[in-house]
Amino acid sequence: MSQFEFPKIHSFPPLYTKQPNTTVLNNQLDSWCDIILNFCQFYRITSLSPSGEPLHSQIENLNFKELPPLFENKAIERSVAPDFLSTIFQYLIHNKKRAEYIDPKRPELGVLVYWRTLVEWATKIYDYVNSSGQLGTILTIFELTNSDESAYPEELRNIEYNVLVRAIKNVLMKQGKAQILMSEDGTQIGGVKIV
């Protein structure tokens, strides 16, 4: 697999230190958000740990240890401090609306990164179910993420459970295009009906 090419700013030492000037800081945070979204899209990573390590990728058997570090540049001996990394994630979540905590009550579990927005994910899900003639059919989470059908879109394969559920609950259900059937114990989604 080819390696992600970081933009030139990734080699700019001040990028790694939280800047005191608000205007400069906002530009710095915008740069970090662009780097995160592009990096995650390249490797199809949908969640990061609080320390910036990948937690889930749609690419099967992707070895996270072989990826270049996102928040470190060994060539210039710079890395982002944990408190600044938290600021970057807060900005990505609250200002850019391109991430959210896996569990807001437990931020230590990590962050979902939306290099594709929830609306875009929801559209992909709906389009697949519609084009495959399965509208109104109850589908399992497995069928929505790992179908063996040749017509199954690669962009949905191995989508992270949390991203899939949020796209269904926060977009398709609000649009009246989906219904969820819970498992008997009420802890997991047993099936999804896209209408």
Side-chain angles (χ1 to χ4, degrees), residues 89 92-94 96-101 111-114:
F89 281 145
L92 188 63
I93 292 168
H94 299 292
K96 294 295 188 179
K97 310 277 190 241
R98 296 301 295 265
E100 62 184 313
Y101 290 112
V111 175
L112 295 170
V113 178
Y114 298 138

Side-chain angles (χ1 to χ4, degrees), residues 79-96:
S79 62
V80 175
D83 61 328
F84 184 38
L85 183 55
S86 177
T87 302
I88 293 169
F89 281 145
Q90 290 294 325
Y91 191 83
L92 188 63
I93 292 168
H94 299 292
N95 294 63
K96 294 295 188 179

Side-chain angles (χ1 to χ4, degrees), residues 1-171:
M1 175 176 214
S2 59
Q3 287 280 81
F4 177 74
E5 278 193 43
F6 286 101
K8 286 183 181 174
I9 197 162
H10 198 260
S11 296
F12 185 56
L15 182 69
Y16 295 83
T17 308
K18 186 176 180 180
Q19 298 301 307
N21 178 291
T22 304
T23 304
V24 175
L25 176 61
N26 285 337
N27 287 336
Q28 180 185 25
L29 292 170
D30 283 337
S31 294
W32 271 118
C33 290
D34 289 343
I35 292 168
I36 294 166
L37 293 171
N38 290 326
F39 180 89
C40 289
Q41 182 172 13
F42 185 87
Y43 292 113
R44 300 182 67 77
I45 293 166
T46 50
S47 57
L48 296 171
S49 74
S51 62
E53 300 296 319
L55 294 174
H56 182 273
S57 170
Q58 289 180 266
I59 300 171
E60 282 191 86
N61 305 319
L62 179 66
N63 186 343
F64 295 149
K65 290 180 176 38
E66 292 177 0
L67 301 184
L70 179 55
F71 296 101
E72 180 182 2
N73 188 326
K74 292 178 178 160
I76 60 168
E77 298 179 1
R78 290 282 194 274
S79 62
V80 175
D83 61 328
F84 184 38
L85 183 55
S86 177
T87 302
I88 293 169
F89 281 145
Q90 290 294 325
Y91 191 83
L92 188 63
I93 292 168
H94 299 292
N95 294 63
K96 294 295 188 179
K97 310 277 190 241
R98 296 301 295 265
E100 62 184 313
Y101 290 112
I102 293 170
D103 182 345
K105 294 183 180 121
R106 297 178 60 204
E108 70 275 8
L109 295 178
V111 175
L112 295 170
V113 178
Y114 298 138
W115 44 269
R116 182 174 280 150
T117 66
L118 286 181
V119 171
E120 291 168 333
W121 281 119
T123 301
K124 299 280 182 199
I125 295 163
Y126 185 85
D127 289 349
Y128 161 65
V129 173
N130 186 27
S131 66
S132 62
Q134 298 181 87
L135 284 180
T137 304
I138 296 173
L139 301 167
T140 64
I141 295 296
F142 182 83
E143 289 172 307
L144 287 171
T145 59
N146 295 293
S147 177
D148 291 332
E149 288 180 38
S150 58
Y152 188 75
E154 192 60 36
E155 55 209 6
L156 289 177
R157 195 170 303 284
N158 298 321
I159 184 174
E160 186 167 352
Y161 175 83
N162 289 304
V163 174
L164 178 73
V165 168
R166 282 175 168 95
I168 292 168
K169 283 184 171 180
N170 298 348
V171 181

